[in-house]
Amino acid sequence: MTKSEVERKKRKKKSRKDGVPKKNHKPIKKHYDEEKHQIPLSSANKLTKLKTKPSSTFLDKMRARLSGGHFRMINEKLYTSTGKEALDYFQEDPSLFDMYHAGYRTQMSTWPEKPVDVIIKWLKKQSPSLVVADFGCGEALIAKTVTNKVFSLDLVSNDPKVIACDMSNAPIVSSSVDVAVFCLSLMGTNYQSYIEEANRVLKPGGWLLIAEVKSRFDPTNGGAEPEKFSRAISDLGFNSVKQDFSNKMFILFYFTKKDKRKSKGKETEWPMLKPCLYKRR
């Protein structure tokens, strides 16, 4: 072997020691195949999302529960305070009013028939020249639906056509209204002062329509006797025309104002109306 061949052989040995693989050298197989066991990128992303992001259904349920909790709190406040206290409450934070009506819409969505729809249907059968006062109008559906002139009154107004006021002190001229409506709005502990205010603004012969939750007039469960409630309004100077118990969820009372004012005598006895408080879930 020539000297040059010996040196060439030495260089080959050295290169193998330094890690240069032989020709057709196969890498040592690892204890697992990374590519075979790797989770596809799309599946990995889905798993990550499941771990870090709650489902939209869960979030919707949580939002609904929070919204429902706020609604019940505000609802209870309205039923257990005077109109003046409720007005001050909403003036401090008007956003509570929107929160309340969002919860109210949710509650109404479960009713087979809404009292405001019955009242609107009745109004459409009357003369469009009749002037209406909607006490506790909410979203002012009556004013938005009928062609009559409507005074829409409520504690807070986000609508220039709605008058914000305490319903026991409405900025309406005496004896200027043909129909006064209370649709689920006799909520204050001084509710009788609202009816007295309706009496003031109504013309002789004018109509008073009151729709209220049926449970508020269930004497067997702490509610007022319907006849006692009707008698108190009659004593104020009204004729009881009709009591409609046909609906499952609410009662509708129809009164007309007498031509002659009630003479002062024995003070009217107003029954306590049971607060309509929703159960906590």
Side-chain angles (χ1 to χ4, degrees):
M1 184 181 293
T2 64
K3 188 176 181 180
S4 60
E5 285 176 338
V6 172
E7 288 177 357
R8 196 182 304 120
K9 195 173 182 180
K10 285 181 180 180
R11 282 198 297 272
K12 276 186 179 181
K13 285 182 180 181
K14 187 178 180 182
S15 65
R16 285 173 190 164
K17 288 179 182 179
D18 291 342
V20 178
K22 295 180 182 179
K23 192 175 182 180
N24 299 325
H25 172 75
K26 292 182 180 180
I28 298 171
K29 191 173 182 179
K30 296 184 179 179
H31 67 282
Y32 72 95
D33 190 333
E34 287 182 341
E35 291 185 0
K36 186 176 179 181
H37 292 83
Q38 188 176 17
I39 298 171
L41 186 59
S42 58
S43 300
N45 288 342
K46 286 178 183 177
L47 287 173
T48 304
K49 287 179 181 179
L50 286 172
K51 290 178 181 178
T52 60
K53 186 180 177 182
S55 69
S56 58
T57 305
F58 173 76
L59 289 174
D60 290 342
K61 285 181 180 179
M62 287 303 296
R63 289 190 190 103
R65 184 170 291 183
L66 288 170
S67 178
H70 287 135
F71 168 72
R72 287 189 292 272
M73 177 192 72
I74 300 166
N75 187 68
E76 185 170 337
K77 178 73 175 179
L78 290 173
Y79 274 105
T80 57
S81 62
T82 65
K84 176 65 169 60
E85 289 168 343
L87 181 64
D88 293 341
Y89 178 65
F90 282 123
Q91 284 181 340
E92 287 179 12
D93 188 354
S95 67
L96 294 174
F97 197 68
D98 295 329
M99 198 178 294
Y100 169 76
H101 279 290
Y104 178 83
R105 282 192 298 273
T106 301
Q107 294 293 333
M108 285 295 102
S109 67
T110 64
W111 286 31
E113 186 176 36
K114 300 176 182 63
V116 69
D117 293 335
V118 178
I119 292 170
I120 287 170
K121 187 176 179 180
W122 182 88
L123 282 169
K124 285 184 173 181
K125 293 178 180 179
Q126 313 305 314
S127 170
S129 64
L130 297 182
V131 179
V132 181
D134 185 5
F135 287 82
C137 67
E139 296 175 307
L141 290 177
I142 292 176
K144 292 173 182 176
T145 309
V146 301
T147 57
N148 305 66
K149 178 180 179 181
V150 180
F151 291 101
S152 299
L153 311 166
D154 217 322
L155 294 167
V156 174
S157 174
N158 296 324
D159 184 338
K161 294 180 181 178
V162 175
I163 303 166
C165 66
D166 176 356
M167 289 190 298
S168 64
N169 186 22
I172 301 175
V173 177
S174 298
S175 303
S176 62
V177 170
D178 299 291
V179 184
V181 174
F182 290 91
C183 186
L184 308 183
S185 55
L186 292 179
M187 301 178 76
T189 55
N190 62 323
Y191 78 89
Q192 66 271 18
S193 65
Y194 305 160
I195 298 174
E196 289 168 354
E197 186 68 351
N199 183 39
R200 179 187 70 80
V201 304
L202 274 170
K203 299 174 183 176
W207 287 88
L208 172 64
L209 273 58
I210 299 173
E212 269 303 332
V213 180
K214 221 168 191 175
S215 62
R216 303 192 77 191
F217 294 93
D218 181 5
T220 64
N221 196 28
E225 291 183 12
E227 287 303 323
K228 190 173 182 180
F229 175 75
S230 183
R231 189 163 56 249
I233 294 176
S234 296
D235 288 346
L236 189 62
F238 288 89
N239 291 312
S240 177
V241 177
K242 181 183 176 183
Q243 295 180 20
D244 184 357
F245 290 83
S246 63
N247 194 278
K248 181 183 177 181
M249 307 299 290
F250 60 88
I251 302 175
L252 251 170
F253 297 89
Y254 297 81
F255 300 91
T256 54
K257 184 176 177 179
K258 295 176 182 177
D259 291 337
K260 292 183 180 180
R261 292 185 179 182
K262 174 196 168 186
S263 57
K264 288 185 178 181
K266 186 179 177 182
E267 189 175 344
T268 302
E269 287 186 35
W270 293 95
M272 180 74 73
L273 296 185
K274 181 183 177 182
C276 183
L277 306 178
Y278 295 94
K279 293 179 181 179
R280 289 171 172 78
R281 295 174 184 175

